[in-house]
Amino acid sequence: MSVTTHIRVDHYSAVQLAASAARRTAVEQGLSGALPDRAAVLASELASNAARHAVSGSLYVQPLALRKGVEVLAVDRGPGMADPEQCLTDGFSTGSSLGSGLGAVRRIADEFTLRSGRGTGTLVCARLGEPGDAPAAGDPVVGAVRVPADGESSCGDSWGVAVTDGAHTALVVDGLGHGTAAAEAADLAVRTFHRDPARPLPELLSSMNRALRRSRGAAVALLRRTEDTMELSSVGNVRIVLLGHDGVRYRFGGQPGVVGWNMPEPRVQRMPAGPGVVPLLHSDGVDDRWTHSPSAFLTALPAPLLAAGLVHQHRRSRDDATVLTLGPVRSRP
């Protein structure tokens, strides 16, 4: 998985950085024709909006999770929008601009999500893929952000999602330490996962344990969701959280040990999936104290915005951080 490009919008120079990152990601994804330029416009408009109106704004630019394309996430901590729908109307502006920024983003993107709270902040997700390559019915809505520690270019965390026979299997892995060696361990775990992601969770952990024996080792969390059931298995300090609209329903810590070194016999915990339950996995680069009293605004966010909001508000900047969320299944026509 590609590392998320994180751009702090603390100066107007960030607008060009954001546009360049989105265009580069689109080219790397193989998007055709004018799509790389459109991706640059998405990022440029969102960064400009943050530079004009936001407090502590950031953009997160990365490839899409389950199809070819680009995702641009914009997050800030205030002041929020009194009327988000009005702010999406062409010609509306609270400043001296032409007022076409967010409206243009919604028109260009093939998926657009916005949430805003007065005094809380605004979060936007804009996704762009090839025409005709729509998200597949039956796939989950995936939210993920993977950022390295400040000053590092490699990220020792990684993640994976697989859809097999009606089951959604999610992985977050945290290589020991950070830097290149940790990234190599994490990437090896993800490659091992994708070789046969439909296997029982203990078998997946055991295969990763064998694969990582000559690496630094890693903490690993796995979650499998079917229509009726959640299965969870974790070794080390990657957290699994189940969220509902009423807040945190369940917190699951991993068994002590290191995958690749001294992994214990894996245990699996099973529970009903429950309507509206959103599974979330994150590395310890996100401070898990957020689960003690999360705001209703945060826990009600759609999966992509939830991942970005957690990283933006609760990451430890001196550690790699990854958040992965599985939203609802996309409906069939």
Side-chain angles (χ1 to χ4, degrees), residues 46-325:
L46 288 173
S48 295
N49 190 68
R52 283 195 299 270
H53 305 297
V55 177
S56 300
S58 283
L59 258 66
Y60 301 89
V61 181
Q62 60 193 2
L64 291 176
L66 296 178
R67 63 187 178 105
K68 186 167 67 174
V70 179
E71 177 177 70
V72 182
L73 297 152
V75 188
D76 66 61
R77 293 183 180 143
M81 300 177 183
D83 187 345
E85 192 59 36
Q86 186 180 32
C87 293
L88 290 166
T89 303
D90 287 347
F92 176 81
S93 175
T94 58
S96 58
S97 71
L98 295 176
S100 60
L102 288 177
V105 171
R106 182 164 65 171
R107 285 195 305 274
I108 294 170
D110 50 33
E111 291 185 77
F112 177 85
T113 310
L114 181 149
R115 296 290 187 274
S116 188
R118 293 301 301 271
T120 300
T122 299
L123 301 94
V124 182
C125 173
R127 291 175 167 179
L128 183 67
E130 289 283 355
D133 183 21
D139 283 355
V141 177
V142 175
V145 174
R146 178 195 183 199
V147 291
D150 285 356
E152 296 280 353
S153 57
S154 299
C155 183
D157 294 352
S158 195
W159 61 271
V161 172
V163 180
T164 55
D165 298 326
H168 306 145
T169 307
L171 160 76
V172 166
V173 53
D174 182 351
L176 264 62
H178 51 83
T180 302
E184 289 172 351
D187 291 344
L188 179 55
V190 174
R191 291 198 301 271
T192 304
F193 166 78
H194 280 298
R195 286 175 192 151
D196 189 2
R199 284 181 293 172
L201 301 189
E203 291 185 19
L204 284 171
L205 279 167
S206 295
S207 64
M208 292 181 211
N209 188 51
R210 292 190 295 271
L212 269 60
R213 281 177 180 163
R214 294 187 179 181
S215 75
R216 279 194 176 184
V220 176
L222 289 164
L223 178 143
R224 176 166 292 147
R225 180 178 68 183
T226 62
E227 185 175 355
D228 303 317
T229 306
M230 298 271 193
E231 295 183 351
L232 307 85
S233 189
S234 180
V235 174
N237 56 3
V238 178
R239 308 291 193 268
I240 302 176
V241 181
L242 301 184
L243 290 175
H245 288 298
D246 54 350
V248 174
R249 299 271 183 90
Y250 184 79
R251 292 187 290 268
F252 182 76
Q255 298 171 249
V258 177
V259 178
W261 284 11
N262 58 347
M263 189 183 81
E265 187 69 25
R267 296 195 304 263
V268 176
Q269 187 154 347
R270 295 176 178 85
M271 60 192 63
V277 174
V278 174
L280 182 150
L281 300 81
H282 70 79
S283 68
D284 68 346
V286 173
D287 189 337
D288 66 356
R289 289 177 292 182
W290 74 269
T291 62
H292 296 173
S293 56
S295 69
F297 178 79
L298 178 69
T299 58
L301 289 172
L305 301 184
L306 177 58
L310 276 176
V311 166
H312 190 66
Q313 295 179 32
H314 298 286
R315 68 172 289 225
R316 295 180 169 111
S317 61
R318 288 183 287 183
D319 196 2
D320 306 318
T322 291
V323 176
L324 172 64
T325 62

